[in-house]
Amino acid sequence: MKPIKVGLMGIGTVGTGTYTVLLRNQEEIRRRAGRAIEIAMVADLDNDRARAIVGPDIEVVSDAFQIVDNPDIDIVIELIGGYGVARELVMKAITHGKHVVTANKALLATYGTEIFRAAQEHGVMVAFEAAVAGGIPIIKALREGLTANRIQWIAGIINGTTNFILSEMRDKGLDFDVVLKEAQRLGYAEADPTFDIEGVDAAHKATLMSAIAFGIPVQFDKAHVEGITKLQASDIRYAEQLGYRIKLLGIARRAEQGIELRVHPTLIPANRLIANVEGAMNAVLVQGDAVGATLYYGKGAGSEPTASAVIADLVDITRLATADPEHRVPYLAFQPDEMSDTPILPMTDVTTSYYLRIRVADKLGVVADITRILADSAISIDAMLQKEPGEGETQTDVIILTHATKEKHVNKAIAAIEALSTVAGEVTRIRLESLS
Ligand code: HSE
């Protein structure tokens, strides 16, 4: 059978890895796919660099539209990123009947509904394993390996940059700003790390996982997104004293009234395997009703780890390209006409536990006032830690862990606590998941 022809749009870090691994493992990949997979064209604005990577035998162009317009190309790989030209290229490739492989979580989390609908209409596949947790085959696991299960929840460390920062803050007792600079120096964090540290990148990935897990459309606009910029070294220390680690988790959970979709710093028991995922590594914990808890761990970024996911998609498409479109694996795991309209819950209706750090005057009755407010809001206390005031200080920290409650009750209690004359400044709130 003649090779399937691929056009690679963008040959940066992941594109180079894709080219290299395809070449290195071409014989094994051919045996798995059933036919050879050939990169026939590469588009990159930096023509010279692209040419230096792929050599003289592959056509190199500056304009990626030449790839999507070329009738000889069967599959395009979009590694340009962003929502601008990448969106136009993907839509045009689809309307020209080409299958698409992309690592672009921002594009799919935001415009996925339009893109998947177009792909359905034109009978082509859109594959995006590389968009979530880099080399970890979590999309495949959710869409195929766990297909027997009613998924109950997913909790993932799905941003390596923030996990590196949190690990360093804990390990070295450093503040966020100091570690961020170090992460940038080491090349983990981008020069503009906003999407990483503000939780947006993790929310894109959690949105994609929520769609696949629960058979709902991608709805990034409904996700609660909170990053790690406000975390203080003291919170990480207090959490540790209470037996917890703080991780930026992407959570998608089936609740009674709808789906919780949220990204925020989270206390998790230090003895959970996932709490010990350190540095730039990623891990996703999935709870299914039949299988129980399963944990997926690996590199969430990088040239060859992400290429591993891109090539897995190429092989899948190559295997399935000749199958009747009605009987292929659906993009979002559920058949397109079987999508559910279960709503994504507003954050106020989310149920979880909380870590509260309250700066108080070291006076009689302060703790009693706080615990009364919590009791009045029907919030049950799980653990409490009161620090000795430092030498010459008149204020101290009170740390409270609560049992599970609704976010709206906690909002009300925090407002009442902050109104106490003995409480200084804002209450620090970090959500807590036992993941049991
Ligand atoms: N910026 C991401 C991270 C990698 O830090 O995990 C690509 O998704």
Side-chain angles (χ1 to χ4, degrees), residues 105 158-161 196 201 205 282 300-301:
K105 53 244 155 201
I158 43 181
N159 183 268
T161 303
D196 291 316
D201 176 73
K205 296 167 182 167
N282 280 199

Side-chain angles (χ1 to χ4, degrees), residues 40-361:
M41 250 180 125
V42 173
D44 200 285
L45 290 176
D46 190 341
N47 250 264
D48 293 342
R49 196 175 47 90
R51 171 67 63 216
I53 296 164
V54 302
D57 298 333
I58 294 177
E59 188 181 353
V60 173
V61 294
S62 307
D63 179 8
F65 284 96
Q66 280 183 256
I67 290 184
V68 297
D69 287 338
N70 182 343
D72 293 336
I73 298 292
D74 304 297
I75 308 174
V76 299
I77 306 177
E78 185 276 301
L79 298 174
I80 292 171
Y83 325 90
V85 72
R87 180 179 171 199
E88 274 181 64
L89 285 164
V90 164
M91 289 304 285
K92 198 157 186 209
I94 291 171
T95 53
H96 285 189
K98 299 185 194 314
H99 306 291
V100 175
V101 174
T102 179
N104 194 335
K105 53 244 155 201
L107 178 67
L108 292 182
T110 314
Y111 297 106
T113 302
E114 152 194 337
I115 290 168
F116 294 128
R117 189 185 305 121
Q120 187 72 20
E121 279 165 19
H122 290 87
V124 297
M125 289 173 268
V126 174
F128 53 97
E129 185 65 73
V132 182
I136 305 175
I138 187 63
I139 300 297
K140 188 91 168 168
L142 286 169
R143 192 163 51 189
E144 295 170 52
L146 298 175
T147 204
N149 288 262
R150 189 170 157 84
I151 305 289
Q152 289 152 328
W153 52 261
I154 300 171
I157 296 172
I158 43 181
N159 183 268
T161 303
T162 45
N163 203 50
F164 170 79
I165 293 174
L166 292 177
S167 299
E168 288 288 290
M169 284 174 77
R170 187 183 69 80
D171 211 30
K172 304 192 173 144
L174 297 171
D175 274 321
F176 171 78
D177 297 336
V178 178
V179 185
L180 174 60
K181 285 207 184 79
E182 177 68 356
Q184 282 171 312
R185 196 183 63 76
L186 290 171
Y188 287 130
E190 308 285 329
D192 177 3
T194 317
F195 267 26
D196 291 316
I197 60 178
E198 296 295 356
V200 178
D201 176 73
H204 287 146
K205 296 167 182 167
T207 299
L208 291 174
M209 290 196 290
S210 72
I212 291 178
F214 304 121
I216 55 171
V218 282
Q219 299 166 79
F220 171 67
D221 55 334
K222 303 224 173 89
H224 172 86
V225 187
E226 201 177 306
I228 61 167
T229 52
K230 296 198 187 103
L231 268 185
Q232 297 192 5
S234 62
D235 293 317
I236 293 176
R237 216 173 40 245
Y238 292 150
E240 189 142 45
Q241 286 170 19
L242 288 156
Y244 292 83
R245 296 248 166 107
I246 299 181
K247 296 288 181 189
L248 184 72
L249 286 191
I251 296 174
R253 190 167 84 95
R254 192 194 292 274
E256 243 168 62
Q257 312 292 331
I259 307 293
E260 297 179 1
L261 176 58
R262 48 195 169 104
V263 169
H264 49 69
T266 314
L267 271 78
I268 48 182
N271 60 4
R272 295 260 178 276
L273 269 180
I274 195 169
N276 294 283
V277 171
E278 300 288 17
M281 299 304 281
N282 280 199
V284 184
L285 191 53
V286 182
Q287 176 80 24
D289 66 340
V291 72
T294 53
L295 179 65
Y296 308 83
Y297 170 84
K299 290 187 178 152
S303 178
E304 294 202 2
T306 313
S308 165
V310 169
I311 296 169
D313 280 344
L314 285 178
V315 171
D316 262 1
I317 291 178
T318 304
R319 285 171 175 156
L320 290 168
T322 49
D324 159 12
E326 297 294 308
H327 293 97
R328 291 179 189 153
V329 180
Y331 318 108
L332 294 178
F334 290 72
Q335 297 298 337
D337 54 355
E338 295 287 347
M339 298 294 268
S340 145
D341 58 3
T342 313
I344 305 275
L345 292 175
M347 198 58 191
T348 42
D349 284 342
V350 160
T351 304
T352 184
S353 305
Y354 294 83
Y355 160 104
L356 304 175
R357 174 166 55 80
I358 309 161
R359 190 83 185 146
V360 299

